[in-house]
Amino acid sequence: MATQAEPLSEDQSRFLISDLCHMLDSYLEPDQVREVYRAYLFGAEAHEGQIRVSGEPYIYHPIAAARILAELRLDHKSIIAAILHDVIEDTPTLKEQIASDFGSDVAELVDGVSKLTQIEFESSAEAQAENFRKMILAMVRDIRVILVKLADRLHNMRTLSVMRPDKRRRIARETLDIYAPIANRLGINALRVELEELGFAALYPLRYQVLQKAVLAARGHRKEVLNKIETAIKRRMQQEALEGRILSREKHLYSLYKKIRDKTMSFKETYDVYAFRVVVDKVDTCYRALGIMHNLYKPVPGRFKDYIAIPKANGYQSLHTILFGPHGIPIEVQIRTEEMDRIAESGVAAHWVYKTNEQNLDQMHAGAREWLRELLEMQKHAGNSLEFLENVKLDLFPDAVYVFTPTGAIMKLPHGSTVVDFAYAVHTDIGNTCIAARVDRVEAPLRTTLRNGQTVEIITAAGARPSPAWLGFVVSAKARSNIRHHQKSLRREDAIDLGRRMLDRALGVFGSSAQVIADERLQALLKAYHLENEDDLLVEIGMGRRTAVLVARSLLPADDGTAVLGGEGTAPALVIRGSEGMVTRFSKCCRPIPGDPVVGVITRGRGMMIHTQNCRNIADGKYSAENCLDVQWEPGISEEFPVDVTVEVADRRGVLANVAKVIGDADSNIENVGIEERDGLTNSLRFRITVRNRQHLASVMRRVRNIPAVIRITRTRS
Ligand code: MN
């Protein structure tokens, strides 16, 4: 979402403690401001003689961080903590000293921020995940810790140009991966937007420049159209005697970039949307203003969103609609109250700012704490930091889908959620015992992806258990951690029981049952698997180490002539672990390559098809859960695999030949090329190339990306 406010900008002239105190005078008590000044003296003495990479005395950095929080009008303890945030970390000062001078609250805040800084984020994923875990723990104690940390990070981003290029990129990536999403999750739009813009500019300087130039070039014509629409809206509101502010908004570069990247829209399509915000006095007026807009211009069907009735996870409230403007140009309108507008800017930080009894603020703060508590719960279940980070990342991107329970209650789930995610969202026990569902009163398999507005009823069975195969399609962190947790805690008897039921069901798929299995076939299989007895086999199945369908298939005579086992095309079978001799093929929809997480789908008569786990066809629930198996790549595969990539390039002579040469130099073969023009500014080149694995693909992509005319390269999946 874009804002009309300029990002918090730093003047060229140095910002001094006197400037800070002057700012604070406008909203803090005089003795609180004196406390802040005392903290400055303390900090300046502690950092005496230290200088930053930029050559400035160190103390200017904490003052700048404090200024960012002052612009959000945070309380004096947060401001003091910001001034002292590097004192424990970088000077001999002890936490106890801060506690005796400024109280235990401030000491805890500074300590919390220091703990976040102590581990250098290394390139290794584990270190990053571990640090992130610590950040969550510190946040749970006091959310202000993360506000100080965000201010610290924002100032570091503003002064990033003095760093070495590799360090710059690492910090920028971390900012986009973790800090900006956290600011977003806490609803602090003012910080989020600037972190994203700076992160984008530092990580992808070329793309940033291209986009910036394009925006400047397109701006002139826009102004006229914007004025015209604004006047029309104003006039109509006056006619209806409705008071309110109307603001035209410009999209930020990073949000433009994301739209172009994710929705594969051209720059023109994205930028040619005219965006307005209408800010009025109260909720009732919002809906009346909406009626007026829909009367003035026709709304685009299906694009109206009521975030007032159903606020976003971070507390954001507003009405969103899209209209067909004059000559059919799309107009985006946000309608909200003054209070909602303020909260949209400062999110959770508003809790310390507006010391009123506004219920919404308390709710939002409670919402943020609730989120943190859930994270804490999750990290108890998670086996390691990496697993935890993976879970949290899913949670940080709040695109949600809203569905109803049979009693009409609204449930909010992450985008892409399935029936199983819904079941776990209702209650852990329901998730653990669900076996099927009715979606809009029609029976649906567990892996069905849910859409907005559907009514979902879960069918449970006493004694049913979560299946490890669900991990292949659930998206919510709660479902994921519960299924894993359940799998780990399975007792032997339970595993035998679960394994028996899974095997029975699998035999049923082939029209057979456990009663008719010949004993010599079972014995032969046990021997082949090096297992002692039938129970051991059932445990293997129950724990998810062997797949029920494959065991079932091996227990049955291969008499149906479908050539499911062995035979032709044996080479690929050596590539996939878990296929156990079945003929495997690689699906053309997602073109898996070694390193991709994969799923095997048992097909009638065609052996096993290998898809990537995030393949559309898997997510859409085209295949029933019983037929989908978790499989893995064998290590050390030497074959080459075809994969599609799209390269977006500036419209320049000779660029195709250039890209083709670089691909060849990277030890990859081109099987196919297609060119499509986009918008006169850029062209899209589609290549089918062969690679050995993901690392190989990454190295090809990296080299292509380094060609100056290349704007971006992405892996294509149909
Ligand atoms: Mn710092």
Side-chain angles (χ1 to χ4, degrees):
M1 198 216 50
T3 67
Q4 87 287 3
E6 280 294 304
L8 311 163
S9 66
E10 187 155 52
D11 301 334
Q12 285 307 312
S13 57
R14 203 170 268 173
F15 188 79
L16 304 169
I17 181 63
S18 51
D19 301 320
L20 178 68
C21 289
H22 186 70
M23 265 178 87
L24 298 175
D25 275 334
S26 68
Y27 73 98
L28 292 180
E29 301 296 328
D31 54 326
Q32 292 177 333
V33 180
R34 267 195 298 278
E35 279 282 291
V36 171
Y37 190 76
R38 205 159 59 78
Y40 158 73
L41 294 177
F42 187 101
E45 196 182 306
H47 287 297
E48 177 69 51
Q50 294 178 346
I51 48 168
R52 299 194 88 212
V53 183
S54 63
E56 271 194 332
Y58 198 91
I59 190 67
Y60 288 109
H61 161 62
I63 293 178
R67 176 197 194 176
I68 291 165
L69 296 184
E71 278 165 341
L72 285 169
R73 301 171 73 84
L74 273 179
D75 71 321
H76 73 290
K77 284 182 183 166
S78 309
I79 304 283
I80 293 174
I83 290 178
L84 301 178
H85 81 265
D86 279 329
V87 156
I88 294 185
E89 176 65 16
D90 294 343
T91 79
T93 312
L94 297 172
K95 181 181 168 189
E96 290 69 36
Q97 237 168 308
I98 298 178
S100 71
D101 276 39
F102 300 97
S104 59
D105 276 13
V106 171
E108 287 302 330
L109 282 173
V110 174
D111 189 46
V113 178
S114 311
K115 289 211 172 102
L116 299 185
T117 324
Q118 259 160 20
I119 308 173
E120 259 281 296
F121 274 102
E122 281 158 28
S123 50
S124 96
E126 278 97 356
Q128 189 177 346
E130 178 57 22
N131 207 18
F132 187 74
R133 200 179 63 83
K134 293 205 161 155
M135 176 144 51
I136 300 292
L137 292 173
M139 267 160 62
V140 176
R141 262 174 252 132
D142 191 332
I143 295 178
R144 288 177 294 183
V145 168
I146 192 64
L147 299 179
V148 176
K149 186 66 197 170
L150 286 172
D152 173 36
R153 172 51 61 111
L154 180 53
H155 185 248
N156 286 336
M157 287 300 293
R158 284 177 183 171
T159 51
L160 199 59
S161 56
V162 294
M163 293 293 187
R164 283 201 322 265
D166 58 328
K167 207 163 180 195
R168 217 185 291 161
R169 268 194 302 276
R170 181 175 62 73
I171 294 175
R173 187 180 299 278
E174 199 180 276
T175 300
L176 290 179
D177 276 358
I178 290 183
Y179 290 97
I182 287 180
N184 184 42
R185 187 60 183 72
L186 296 176
I188 315 167
N189 205 36
L191 296 189
R192 193 262 302 171
V193 165
E194 200 186 341
L195 286 170
E196 284 181 351
E197 295 296 285
L198 292 169
F200 176 40
L203 192 57
Y204 305 113
L206 264 169
R207 291 169 224 199
Y208 185 86
Q209 278 168 28
V210 168
L211 214 50
Q212 198 176 34
K213 275 200 200 118
V215 165
L216 281 174
R219 200 174 268 163
H221 165 69
R222 268 178 75 88
K223 197 135 202 195
E224 227 173 282
V225 184
L226 278 172
N227 283 339
K228 225 180 181 167
I229 300 171
E230 192 177 331
T231 314
I233 296 178
K234 261 195 187 130
R235 193 174 305 137
R236 184 59 68 91
M237 284 185 56
Q238 265 161 14
Q239 283 168 3
E240 305 285 335
L242 254 166
E243 300 249 336
R245 293 190 287 137
I246 298 154
L247 312 151
S248 66
R249 306 178 290 122
E250 187 149 290
K251 290 234 157 66
H252 296 277
L253 292 182
Y254 187 64
S255 76
L256 279 176
Y257 169 69
K258 272 198 303 191
K259 282 222 163 86
I260 296 171
R261 187 192 62 189
D262 298 343
K263 296 193 180 155
T264 51
M265 288 209 282
S266 71
F267 170 74
K268 207 167 167 336
E269 284 170 300
T270 316
Y271 191 68
D272 273 0
V273 173
Y274 291 82
F276 289 89
R277 178 177 308 154
V278 177
V279 184
V280 296
D281 56 348
K282 53 183 199 283
V283 171
D284 173 58
T285 321
C286 291
Y287 290 101
R288 283 173 56 210
L290 179 76
I292 289 171
M293 298 304 154
H294 282 185
N295 189 264
L296 180 62
Y297 300 113
K298 252 193 193 19
V300 177
R303 299 299 297 276
F304 166 63
K305 291 197 185 98
D306 188 345
Y307 293 120
I308 292 184
I310 306 172
K312 285 194 185 180
N314 61 15
Y316 174 86
Q317 287 187 296
S318 197
L319 299 176
H320 288 190
T321 187
I322 298 183
L323 311 166
F324 292 112
H327 314 295
I329 53 167
I331 307 175
E332 259 178 42
V333 185
Q334 302 175 341
I335 305 169
R336 57 173 85 147
T337 65
E338 293 283 356
E339 186 202 332
M340 291 171 191
D341 197 46
R342 267 184 348 219
I343 292 177
E345 280 308 298
S346 37
V348 125
H351 182 78
W352 289 273
V353 184
Y354 307 101
K355 288 280 176 195
T356 55
N357 290 326
E358 290 170 61
Q359 206 196 352
N360 273 344
L361 286 180
D362 284 344
Q363 264 171 18
M364 184 168 55
H365 192 228
R369 296 203 69 89
E370 174 71 8
W371 172 59
L372 293 168
R373 250 198 307 278
E374 279 171 20
L375 291 183
L376 207 59
E377 197 52 39
M378 220 184 278
Q379 78 105 18
K380 276 190 211 143
H381 287 321
N384 58 48
S385 302
L386 262 185
E387 191 180 314
F388 175 60
L389 183 63
E390 177 202 336
N391 287 345
V392 172
K393 272 190 174 166
L394 290 171
D395 239 57
L396 277 176
F397 298 94
D399 294 86
V401 48
Y402 294 90
V403 291
F404 296 94
T405 67
T407 56
I410 295 175
M411 299 289 298
K412 191 183 71 211
L413 302 168
H415 185 77
S417 283
T418 61
V419 166
V420 172
D421 294 293
F422 174 87
Y424 275 106
V426 174
H427 197 280
T428 305
D429 291 342
I430 298 202
N432 283 337
T433 58
C434 67
I435 52 164
R438 274 186 282 272
V439 175
D440 287 338
R441 300 213 199 114
V442 179
E443 291 231 358
L446 291 174
R447 60 168 54 231
T448 311
T449 306
L450 298 175
R451 289 193 311 271
N452 271 320
Q454 290 180 321
T455 300
V456 188
E457 185 187 344
I458 297 294
I459 301 162
T460 58
R465 302 287 165 79
S467 155
W470 296 352
L471 290 172
F473 57 80
V474 296
V475 302
S476 64
K478 189 175 181 191
R480 192 170 285 275
S481 73
N482 271 306
I483 297 164
R484 285 209 176 122
H485 179 62
H486 189 271
Q487 210 181 337
K488 280 176 206 153
S489 64
L490 221 51
R491 286 178 302 131
R492 184 176 161 85
E493 303 91 273
D494 291 338
I496 292 172
D497 189 39
L498 176 62
R500 177 169 291 124
R501 273 179 298 111
M502 286 170 80
L503 182 59
D504 270 349
R505 209 186 303 165
L507 285 165
V509 171
F510 295 104
S512 182
S513 75
Q515 282 80 26
V516 302
I517 298 298
D519 193 50
E520 56 268 32
R521 279 209 86 86
L522 175 65
Q523 294 308 325
L525 192 71
L526 290 176
K527 204 168 163 211
Y529 287 170
H530 305 291
L531 294 169
E532 287 283 311
N533 53 38
E534 189 182 351
D535 280 358
D536 286 355
L537 177 64
L538 296 173
V539 167
E540 294 273 294
I541 298 171
M543 300 292 272
R545 289 195 288 264
R546 281 189 192 278
T547 336
V549 175
L550 286 176
V551 173
R553 195 64 198 81
S554 316
L555 285 170
L556 295 168
D559 60 358
D560 54 349
T562 53
V564 182
L565 285 166
E568 36 121 5
T570 44
L574 299 173
V575 165
I576 293 292
R577 175 180 295 175
S579 61
E580 314 197 3
M582 258 194 184
V583 176
T584 51
R585 287 167 219 274
F586 294 94
S587 80
K588 292 203 166 61
C589 49
C590 51
R591 296 194 183 277
I593 57 173
D596 287 338
V598 281
V599 180
V601 178
I602 311 278
T603 57
R604 270 220 163 274
R606 287 194 300 149
M608 187 192 283
M609 287 296 275
I610 306 298
H611 291 262
T612 62
Q613 275 180 14
N614 57 7
C615 175
R616 268 271 168 70
N617 288 326
I618 297 295
D620 285 352
K622 221 169 117 183
Y623 310 107
S624 74
E626 290 90 7
N627 288 339
C628 294
L629 312 176
D630 272 325
V631 290
Q632 252 121 43
W633 296 92
E634 288 288 355
I637 303 162
S638 58
E639 271 108 318
E640 301 230 320
F641 296 79
V643 62
D644 294 330
V645 292
T646 304
V647 187
E648 225 172 288
V649 295
D651 190 9
R652 224 178 275 168
R653 196 178 279 270
V655 64
L656 172 60
N658 203 347
V659 174
K661 180 178 183 305
V662 169
I663 292 175
D665 289 348
D667 208 16
S668 166
N669 293 315
I670 299 172
E671 290 194 337
N672 203 335
V673 187
I675 305 175
E676 59 188 74
E677 208 188 330
R678 272 280 167 87
D679 47 13
L681 195 71
T682 62
N683 287 333
S684 266
L685 313 175
R686 304 186 68 127
F687 290 90
R688 176 160 308 149
I689 60 175
T690 61
V691 294
R692 289 184 298 279
N693 50 39
R694 271 170 85 110
Q695 285 93 315
H696 186 198
L697 176 63
S699 99
V700 173
M701 288 173 73
R702 193 162 49 241
R703 291 207 203 183
V704 171
R705 206 172 276 136
N706 282 338
I707 304 173
V710 168
I711 300 160
R712 67 193 185 116
I713 172 167
T714 46
R715 183 168 169 192
T716 329
R717 298 159 208 262
S718 54

